Amino acid sequence: AEELQASVDFPITAVRICNIGPEENIAQLASLEYLDLSETGVTDEQLEPLPNFFKLQSLRLCECRFITDIGLQ
């Protein structure tokens, strides 16, 4: 999986992910305040790092068909 890299002089606080495969690791996005994973292939396992997203204020998971009730606990 290719790592997300930003070459900007200001902090990125919001991201809308358009496509995510089961091999992608979202832990590298832990500094975000707003994360939209709607309509992606995100899975329960990929949501496991979310408790460490201390700055996260908003998380959108609309139409994520691979997330179960277990992944939302």
Side-chain angles (χ1 to χ4, degrees):
E2 193 173 316
E3 287 194 28
L4 176 67
Q5 294 183 4
S7 59
V8 293
D9 293 330
F10 55 88
I12 296 174
T13 60
V15 170
R16 161 74 167 102
I17 304 293
C18 296
N19 187 13
I20 188 169
E23 71 285 350
E24 302 294 333
N25 182 354
I26 67 166
Q28 63 190 356
L29 304 173
S31 64
L32 293 177
E33 295 176 12
Y34 305 93
L35 179 58
D36 187 348
L37 295 168
S38 298
E39 300 180 37
T40 65
V42 69
T43 64
D44 289 343
E45 292 78 24
Q46 289 170 298
L47 297 180
E48 289 176 2
L50 284 179
N52 298 317
F53 283 46
F54 299 114
K55 296 181 181 180
L56 194 63
Q57 296 177 29
S58 175
L59 174 65
R60 293 183 47 98
L61 297 170
C62 301
E63 303 293 326
C64 292
R65 59 187 174 151
F66 299 114
I67 296 176
T68 67
D69 291 343
I70 293 169
L72 297 176
Q73 293 181 359

